[in-house]
Amino acid sequence: MNNTVRIFDTSLRDGEQAPGYSMNIEEKVRMARQLEALGVDIIEAGFAIASPGDFASVEAIAGAVERPVVASLSRALVKDIDAAWSAVKGAKSPRIHTFLATSDLHLEYKLKMSRDQALARAVDAVRYARNLCGDVEFSLEDASRTDRDFMCRVVEAVIDAGATTVNLPDTVGYATPCEIHDMVANVMNRVPNIDRAIVSMHCHDDLGLAVANTIAGIVAGARQAECCIAGIGERAGNAALEEVVMNLRTRRDVYNLSYNVRTEEISKTAQLLSSITGVKISPNKSVIGRNAFAHESGIHQHGVMANAKTYEIMTPESVGVKKTALVLGKHSGQHAFGQRLADLGYGDLDKGTVDKLFAEFKVLADRKKTMEDRDILALVEAETGRVSGENDWKLVNYVVSSSNKMFSTACVTLSRGGKETTESAFGTGPIFASIRAVEKLVKHPFALEDFQIQAVTERRDALGEVSVKITDSSGTYRGRGVSTDIIEGSILSTLDAVNRMFNGASSALGSGAASSVQHSYEDDDLLSGRTDR
Ligand code: MN
């Protein structure tokens, strides 16, 4: 049997479906390029028929990566399969991934179909897809709750119809590792043509068993693992890619299987996802959490110093976490800064970007004394995601006054195309007031959907990293800003989002974007008691 486990990343499809993780096309393409650098074998780029934005993202990713297979999901319907194919056909290695539920529960209540009807539909869909594309995956949705004999019939029939990969998902995260092992072993042993396809796992984490179940399936013969960076995905998420791969790497003595992922890219990939979506990685998260390699207790520290293997089963370097003792500050030169960027995995930035980053670094280092790696990462992430056009709004200056007894006021000056304008506004707090002043200046109403502020490091002089989501009738736009001052960070992040909004609908977030904005920026809703913006 083939000894390589194919890593199928679905962060941009299943992962992106989860609330808080929607990404626009440009962000998905950046993520896809990093997934390629990580070495994943297959990128599931989206669900082409779901929306025009999804279609465009799948198409853009198909054209943006070289080595990985690019897949689009599709229901077992001709129009879905057609959409999937037209979105992925430009890829070097395209795949159509079609699915149909096979459990009695889903057949009876959701699809209102008999088993025989479902079998016929699955075969028709696979045959149709295979006439378009040489690489076809079929998923038996809710496989783990599907009758085992019926599963074997479906698997055999879809392989005969041309499926090259057959996925057996634990869609609802219900199965135990022993059950998954039995399920896969049953298919491997009983389906006569199983050697003509690759069996795949797709496990959800509702009971915290996604990775264990994925590995159990691999032990029983599955050779594709569908997973997401940081385990994102529907509900409790999918199997975490970094955990599946690091299990295979760390316990090679047990599994003796290979993979094409370059584990040294794991940390950077997780950071990128977190910076794009604004969702922080939990400190104790396996493999990629900030504390995953931190040894706190004295006994552990003593052991690690004597021999790292005492408490360290894998090295931070193996997942791309670099230890650096040198701290950068305002006296650091561009060479040292460039070197640190390269150490942090950003050696490939163009000179213009590095110059810009260095200029911002100097401004912050002047205010903040020392710049840690996390500060530099926050800066890079805010800058490299920036959408910039000629007519962008830029912050010139601002003044706020804030009090516990009255409204806060903000006076903000912005420039656009060299012309400066000033507005003032008030609000229940200084951030609210500043954002309202920005809204008045740009003369375009928007609603604030989400606002998060986070200290990048622990100390008092920490940088504040602000991420916002704003919505207008064209969609939802994310913005980020980093500053030693939270008001400045808030204005910068709002301007970042506003500039995305004015740079066109192509940067709107793909899904889940609310689109009704009822209020106008001219409404003095504060005075009428409405402060829910
Ligand atoms: Mn799923």
Side-chain angles (χ1 to χ4, degrees):
M1 189 188 286
N2 186 317
N3 276 334
T4 302
V5 177
R6 283 153 192 78
I7 301 297
F8 175 116
D9 181 275
T10 184
S11 305
L12 299 172
R13 201 278 299 166
D14 205 320
E16 205 249 354
Q17 281 170 223
Y21 287 97
S22 48
M23 292 171 236
N24 64 37
I25 293 188
E26 176 256 329
E27 291 164 338
K28 284 185 188 173
V29 168
R30 276 174 70 205
M31 198 62 211
R33 292 213 168 101
Q34 178 55 33
L35 290 169
E36 181 172 33
L38 176 65
V40 305
D41 300 280
I42 302 106
I43 294 173
E44 185 159 60
F47 196 163
I49 196 128
S51 72
D54 270 44
F55 185 95
S57 308
V58 177
E59 203 173 33
I61 291 167
V65 297
E66 292 269 310
R67 199 193 63 84
V69 172
V70 178
S72 169
L73 190 63
S74 65
R75 289 167 299 181
L77 297 169
V78 166
K79 62 173 179 171
D80 275 41
I81 296 169
D82 284 339
W85 175 238
S86 43
V88 296
K89 68 179 179 214
K92 213 158 197 183
S93 314
R95 171 180 293 189
I96 296 173
H97 178 193
T98 187
F99 73 96
L100 189 70
T102 49
S103 67
D104 288 339
L105 196 64
H106 280 237
L107 289 179
E108 188 179 341
Y109 294 98
K110 190 179 84 177
L111 299 174
K112 306 196 191 315
M113 240 185 232
S114 69
R115 286 185 183 178
D116 286 339
Q117 286 170 321
L119 181 78
R121 167 80 77 81
V123 166
D124 285 349
V126 169
R127 192 170 289 139
Y128 185 77
R130 186 58 200 267
N131 278 329
L132 299 171
C133 181
D135 185 339
V136 174
E137 171 167 342
F138 180 78
S139 283
L140 292 79
E141 190 190 1
D142 205 20
S144 55
R145 294 190 297 178
T146 295
D147 174 80
R148 297 289 189 258
D149 292 339
F150 180 55
M151 181 184 300
C152 289
R153 281 177 63 207
V154 175
V155 172
E156 182 179 357
V158 296
I159 293 173
D160 265 341
T164 45
T165 301
V166 178
N167 184 34
L168 303 175
D170 184 26
T171 305
V172 292
Y174 179 72
T176 70
C178 289
E179 285 170 339
I180 292 288
H181 188 279
D182 283 354
M183 173 183 85
V184 174
N186 186 55
V187 164
M188 300 305 295
N189 293 332
R190 288 176 54 200
V191 174
N193 56 3
I194 198 69
D195 57 323
R196 284 162 46 198
I198 287 170
V199 174
S200 167
M201 300 314 302
H202 177 112
C203 300
H204 276 271
D205 209 32
D206 298 70
L207 290 170
L209 290 173
V211 172
N213 283 339
T214 301
I215 301 272
I218 290 170
V219 169
R223 287 295 176 266
Q224 174 177 289
E226 301 197 358
C227 23
C228 292
I229 303 298
I232 65 172
E234 288 267 10
R235 306 185 310 280
N238 288 75
L241 184 148
E242 66 280 5
E243 295 179 24
V244 170
V245 173
M246 288 313 285
N247 268 278
L248 296 179
R249 175 170 171 156
T250 309
R251 299 311 307 273
R252 185 154 192 158
D253 58 321
V254 174
Y255 305 116
N256 196 25
L257 293 167
S258 56
Y259 48 82
N260 296 316
V261 165
R262 296 166 55 213
T263 60
E264 292 77 11
E265 290 287 322
I266 283 176
S267 174
K268 185 178 173 189
T269 312
Q271 291 295 338
L272 179 65
L273 178 73
S274 167
S275 89
I276 286 177
T277 59
V279 184
K280 295 283 167 193
I281 299 163
S282 153
N284 67 325
K285 170 73 187 65
S286 318
V287 183
I288 55 172
R290 175 153 41 87
N291 296 347
F293 297 97
H295 301 282
E296 195 71 34
S297 100
I299 295 173
H300 288 206
Q301 285 176 347
H302 177 81
V304 168
M305 279 188 281
N307 181 340
K309 283 187 176 153
T310 49
Y311 288 99
E312 206 166 79
I313 60 164
M314 48 191 168
T315 65
E317 291 79 9
S318 68
V319 297
V321 176
K322 298 217 171 67
K323 287 179 195 156
T324 44
L326 277 163
V327 175
L328 296 183
K330 65 174 174 178
H331 300 300
S332 304
Q334 181 148 6
H335 181 75
F337 180 72
Q339 187 56 49
R340 183 62 53 86
L341 285 180
D343 290 347
L344 292 170
Y346 290 93
D348 51 355
L349 296 176
D350 60 86
K351 185 163 182 318
T353 309
V354 175
D355 290 349
K356 217 157 122 198
L357 285 170
F358 184 64
E360 288 191 37
F361 163 81
K362 286 297 245 189
V363 171
L364 292 172
D366 207 31
R367 297 192 208 163
K368 194 185 170 292
K369 310 300 167 240
T370 59
M371 293 283 283
E372 290 185 29
D373 287 351
R374 279 183 279 157
D375 296 321
I376 295 168
L377 280 173
L379 193 62
V380 174
E381 284 156 6
E383 192 53 47
T384 49
R386 190 91 64 215
V387 176
S388 49
E390 298 216 330
N391 262 329
D392 282 353
W393 291 96
K394 294 190 178 73
L395 174 64
V396 178
N397 59 50
Y398 66 91
V399 181
V400 296
S401 79
S402 166
S403 154
N404 62 340
K405 298 287 182 193
M406 30 196 251
F407 287 133
S408 299
T409 56
C411 182
V412 178
T413 303
L414 300 181
S415 75
R416 191 191 207 194
K419 191 171 161 276
E420 291 187 4
T421 40
T422 302
E423 270 288 359
S424 60
F426 50 100
T428 46
I431 292 173
F432 181 2
S434 324
I435 293 176
R436 284 190 87 222
V438 168
E439 193 185 24
K440 280 177 153 182
L441 282 163
V442 304
K443 296 191 166 43
H444 184 91
F446 58 81
L448 185 62
E449 291 281 318
D450 190 24
F451 179 93
Q452 285 183 51
I453 187 159
Q454 176 117 7
V456 177
T457 51
E458 292 79 12
R459 281 180 296 280
R460 289 189 199 185
D461 65 349
L463 289 181
E465 189 179 21
V466 182
S467 61
V468 300
K469 271 185 208 164
I470 64 170
T471 299
D472 75 352
S473 54
S474 68
T476 299
Y477 303 86
R478 196 183 287 114
R480 296 161 55 83
V482 177
S483 173
T484 49
D485 180 301
I486 58 167
I487 307 297
E488 183 177 30
S490 304
I491 297 174
L492 290 174
S493 62
T494 306
L495 287 179
D496 184 24
V498 162
N499 287 330
R500 282 169 201 266
M501 186 164 72
F502 285 123
N503 274 315
S506 65
S507 47
L509 298 177
S511 49
S515 57
S516 62
V517 182
Q518 277 119 14
H519 70 269
S520 147
Y521 62 94
E522 284 166 320
D523 286 348
D524 228 345
D525 45 23
L526 236 184
L527 293 177
S528 60
R530 220 192 112 209
T531 56
D532 60 337
R533 188 171 295 177

